[in-house]
Amino acid sequence: MKIIFSKRPGNLISWLIRKWIKKPYSHTAFSVNLFNTDLIFESSVEGVNVVTLNDFLIKNEIVKEYDISELVKKELLMQYLFSNIDGGFSFISFVGILFKNKTIGMDGEKEMICSEFVARAIGMNAVDLDHVSPKEVEDYILKRFKNE
């Protein structure tokens, strides 16, 4: 089980997010091997969904990944991932992040951006999860999992 960070080459929004957060990635998701198939659980403009790694790589390039297999309770995490499939994507939270307005898009788990989906799944709670960025998720992973 991994948390991946990716970018979408040639995509303007991906480029803008990378410039804004000053990182080589714009998206975060989970990579899980189930039944000998690599699957990606993500929140994207289509909402929370699951796709095969091969389908994901058609438009995306993985820039970084962190193996969290030994650091999380897999059963609980998988339950969270599956229970959120078909959840909505929060365009409003995304706008709030871009304009640094934390009052826009306060919708909890009803609709999530990619980094909010990952942050909630791994128990990240020290920041405003409706507006958490992929960079903040990586910073949390590096701090929390480095110490375990």
Side-chain angles (χ1 to χ4, degrees):
M1 178 170 290
K2 299 174 184 174
I3 295 176
I4 62 167
F5 293 85
S6 63
K7 66 180 181 178
R8 187 170 278 192
N11 181 284
L12 178 61
I13 294 190
S14 176
W15 180 81
L16 286 170
I17 293 168
R18 291 193 313 267
K19 292 297 176 194
W20 173 67
I21 65 173
K22 297 178 177 75
K23 290 289 186 175
Y25 52 77
S26 59
H27 186 66
T28 186
F30 288 95
S31 175
V32 179
N33 185 285
L34 291 175
F35 311 111
N36 295 319
T37 303
D38 290 320
L39 300 173
I40 303 296
F41 288 81
E42 65 174 339
S43 181
S44 67
V45 293
E46 293 88 24
V48 177
N49 61 65
V50 59
V51 297
T52 65
L53 176 62
N54 289 339
D55 285 344
F56 182 80
L57 292 175
I58 291 170
K59 294 183 179 177
N60 300 279
E61 178 184 324
I62 296 174
V63 177
K64 290 185 175 187
E65 58 184 40
Y66 296 94
D67 188 340
I68 60 166
S69 301
E70 304 298 320
L71 305 171
V72 296
K73 294 180 180 173
K74 187 173 182 177
E75 297 79 21
L76 290 175
L77 184 56
M78 293 305 300
Q79 181 180 5
Y80 184 84
L81 299 181
F82 277 107
S83 70
N84 280 284
I85 292 175
D86 288 334
F89 179 78
S90 182
F91 288 103
I92 302 299
S93 289
F94 180 71
V95 170
I97 289 172
L98 290 179
F99 290 101
K100 298 184 179 176
N101 184 334
K102 300 291 186 174
T103 61
I104 298 174
M106 299 296 292
D107 57 18
E109 291 185 70
K110 189 172 73 173
E111 297 180 330
M112 293 183 273
I113 58 175
C114 66
S115 44
E116 177 184 359
F117 176 61
V118 172
R120 289 185 187 281
I122 61 174
M124 186 176 166
N125 57 17
V127 297
D128 170 17
L129 295 180
D130 282 315
H131 300 96
V132 66
S133 73
K135 178 192 179 306
E136 290 169 298
V137 171
E138 184 185 30
D139 292 346
Y140 175 81
I141 291 167
L142 291 172
K143 285 179 191 169
R144 178 172 176 236
F145 296 140
K146 196 175 208 182
N147 296 328
E148 294 191 15

